[in-house]
C-alpha cells in the first residue's frame, strides 16, 4: 500500500498554508538579481512544502534550530560542521552531479568528480614524479601511476596534481595538533601527460562525528565511516578542474556504504598488493609488502 505523503487537511487549512507560502514567495519579487530571486523563491516553496508534508511540530522546529546552533558553535577555521552536514545529506554530491555533467560525444569519458572533503590544504609540498607524499605518515607504501589526458585522448603535460590522504590510523595530518605536513603533496604531469608517486594504501576512516552531525548519524543508525580513498585535485589551463578520489576495489565499506555518498563505480581501482621483495617500479628498497594502482585521469573541457 502506498503511504500518503501527509495527513489530509481541510481545504480551508490548506488554503491558509498556501496563502502564506505565496506571500513569502512574493516578498522576493523585487529582488534585483534574477538568480538570487529564483533561489530564494524556490527555497521558500520547498521549505514550506517540507513543513507542510511532515506537519512539523513546534518542538521539532526547536530541535532543528538547536541543531543548527550547535553546528555553528562547533564550526571554526579547522572544523566545518555545515559542510559535513551537506556531505551526509548527499547535498554535496548532488551539487557535484549537477555541475559535472558528462561531456556529450566525448571520445573518452571525463573522470567523474566526487566530494572535496574538509582536509585539503593549499600549500602542500611539491614532489617530483616518482616522489613520496607520505612525509612520515604511516601506512603500506603504494605506487600510484597514470596519465592525464583530455577527452580526445591528447596527453596534458604540466597538469597540477594535488593528492592527499589519511594515514593508516585514519587521520589526516591536519587532525594532529603538532603541525605536521604528511600524506599530501602536489606534482606535475610530464611531457606525455604521465605521473607517478608513492602514497599509502588507503584505509577506511570515520568523518568527524563528535558534533551534531555525528549525533544525527547515531540517531538514524548510520555509520560515519568513509570507504577507503585517496584524494586528487587536477588542474590544467583550458580544462575543467577535477576534484575526485580513487577507492579500493574489495573494500567492504563500499558495500556497507560511504557516509558521504562519494563512491562511483568508475573510481574503484585495483590496489594490487605486492609481496615483500617484489622489485618496485623505481628500484626503491622496501622492507615489507607494498601495493600498486593505476589511475588514468581524463579532464573535460573548461565550461563543459
Ligand atoms: C574526506 O574525504 O576527507 C571527507 C569528506 C567528507 C566529509 C568528511 C571527510
Ligand atoms: Fe578523505
Amino acid at each position: 500500500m502506498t503511504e500518503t505523503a501527509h495527513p489530509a487537511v481541510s481545504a480551508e487549512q490548506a488554503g491558509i498554508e498556501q496563502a502564506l507560502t505565496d506571500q513569502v514567495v512574493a516578498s522576493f519579487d523585487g529582488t534585483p538579481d534574477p538568480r538570487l530571486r529564483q533561489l530564494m523563491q524556490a527555497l521558500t516553496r520547498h521549505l514550506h512544502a517540507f513543513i507542510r508534508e511532515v506537519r512539523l511540530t513546534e518542538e521539532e522546529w526547536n530541535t532543528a534550530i538547536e541543531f543548527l546552533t550547535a553546528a555553528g558553535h562547533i564550526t571554526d577555521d579547522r572544523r566545518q560542521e555545515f559542510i559535513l552536514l551537506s556531505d551526509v545529506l548527499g547535498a554535496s554530491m548532488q551539487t557535484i552531479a549537477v555541475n559535472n555533467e558528462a561531456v556529450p560525444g566525448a571520445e573518452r569519458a571525463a573522470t567523474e568528480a566526487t566530494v572535496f572533503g574538509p582536509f585539503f590544504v593549499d600549500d602542500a609540498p611539491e614532489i617530483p614524479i616518482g616522489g613520496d607524499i607520505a612525509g612520515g605518515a604511516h601506512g603500506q607504501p603504494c605506487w600510484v601511476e597514470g596519465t592525464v589526458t583530455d577527452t580526445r585522448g591528447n596527453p596534458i603535460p604540466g597538469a597540477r596534481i594535488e593528492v592527499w590522504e589519511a594515514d593508516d590510523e585514519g587521520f589526516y595530518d591536519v587532525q594532529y595538533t603538532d603541525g605536521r605536513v604528511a600524506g599530501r603533496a602536489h606534482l606535475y604531469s610530464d611531457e606525455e601527460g604521465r605521473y607517478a608517486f608513492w602514497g599509502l594504501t588507503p584505509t577506511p576512516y570515520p568523518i568527524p562525528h563528535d558534533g551534531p552531525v555525528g549525533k544525527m548519524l547515531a540517531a538514524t543508525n548510520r555509520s560515519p565511516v568513509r570507504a577507503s580513498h585517496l584524494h586528487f585535485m587536477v588542474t590544467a589551463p583550458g580544462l575543467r578542474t577535477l576534484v575526485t578520489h580513487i577507492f579500493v576495489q574489495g573494500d567492504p565499506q563500499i558495500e556497507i556504504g560511504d557516509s558521504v555518498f562519494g563512491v562511483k563505480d568508475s573510481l574503484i581501482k585495483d590496489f594490487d598488493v605486492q609481496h615483500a621483495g617484489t622489485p618496485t617500479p623505481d628500484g626503491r628498497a622496501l622492507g615489507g609488502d607494498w601495493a600498486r594502482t593505476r589511475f588514468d585521469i581524463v579532464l573535460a573541457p573548461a565550461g563543459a
Side-chain angles (χ1 to χ4, degrees):
M1 199 178 82
T2 322
E3 242 179 9
T4 45
H6 57 86
V9 293
S10 69
E12 188 191 358
Q13 174 64 20
I16 292 168
E17 293 170 8
Q18 188 58 46
L20 177 62
T21 305
D22 294 346
Q23 193 185 356
V24 182
V25 168
S27 75
F28 292 112
D29 278 349
T31 308
D33 177 341
R35 177 64 175 165
L36 181 60
R37 180 166 65 241
Q38 180 189 15
L39 294 174
M40 295 314 298
Q41 292 187 325
L43 175 65
T44 303
R45 278 195 302 273
H46 288 275
L47 181 61
H48 283 226
F50 165 76
I51 294 167
R52 295 174 67 192
E53 177 188 321
V54 303
R55 311 309 298 167
L56 192 72
T57 67
E58 291 178 55
E59 197 187 339
E60 289 161 347
W61 181 88
N62 256 318
T63 304
I65 297 296
E66 279 163 18
F67 176 87
L68 292 173
T69 304
H73 283 159
I74 203 171
T75 295
D76 61 18
D77 289 352
R78 298 170 68 93
R79 173 76 177 257
Q80 230 305 354
E81 197 73 359
F82 292 99
I83 294 184
L84 279 186
L85 178 60
S86 163
D87 293 341
V88 301
L89 292 178
S92 306
M93 280 306 288
Q94 196 66 280
T95 306
I96 289 163
V98 165
N99 286 280
N100 289 270
E101 282 186 48
V103 181
E107 287 163 43
R108 289 191 188 186
T111 303
E112 292 190 277
T114 189
V115 279
F116 194 41
F119 298 124
F120 173 73
V121 168
D122 258 334
D123 47 4
E126 181 174 347
I127 54 164
I129 289 181
D132 192 341
I133 75 164
H138 289 209
Q140 181 182 65
C142 180
W143 177 257
V144 184
E145 64 186 349
T147 54
V148 184
T149 63
D150 64 16
T151 50
R152 293 194 170 135
N154 300 310
I156 307 299
R160 182 176 169 121
I161 305 165
E162 301 271 358
V163 284
W164 67 105
E165 64 176 322
D167 63 16
D168 63 0
E169 305 268 316
F171 293 113
Y172 287 81
D173 53 0
V174 290
Q175 293 177 285
Y176 293 97
T177 49
D178 56 7
R180 72 182 75 175
V181 176
R184 66 178 72 244
H186 71 275
L187 67 161
Y188 294 92
S189 55
D190 72 9
E191 280 313 303
E192 280 151 66
R194 293 174 305 201
Y195 74 90
F197 62 90
W198 282 101
L200 304 172
T201 305
T203 46
Y205 68 85
I207 63 169
H209 59 111
D210 55 345
V213 168
K215 263 197 198 156
M216 188 268 272
L217 291 176
T220 53
N221 227 353
R222 279 181 51 185
S223 162
V225 178
R226 292 224 54 203
S228 318
H229 60 273
L230 166 60
H231 292 261
F232 282 76
M233 178 162 69
V234 188
T235 46
L239 296 166
R240 182 162 82 191
T241 294
L242 172 69
V243 173
T244 196
H245 335 318
I246 52 174
F247 296 90
V248 180
Q249 182 75 263
D251 174 6
Q253 196 64 36
I254 292 177
E255 284 306 311
I256 298 167
D258 178 42
S259 53
V260 302
F261 309 99
V263 180
K264 307 223 170 166
D265 287 351
S266 68
L267 300 175
I268 302 173
K269 303 293 171 192
D270 289 322
F271 281 70
D272 297 318
V273 177
Q274 315 288 312
H275 293 302
T278 309
T280 54
D282 60 351
R284 179 179 180 185
L286 290 170
D289 291 354
W290 55 283
R292 64 184 306 161
T293 190
R294 179 167 192 95
F295 180 37
D296 291 323
I297 296 163
V298 181
L299 299 181

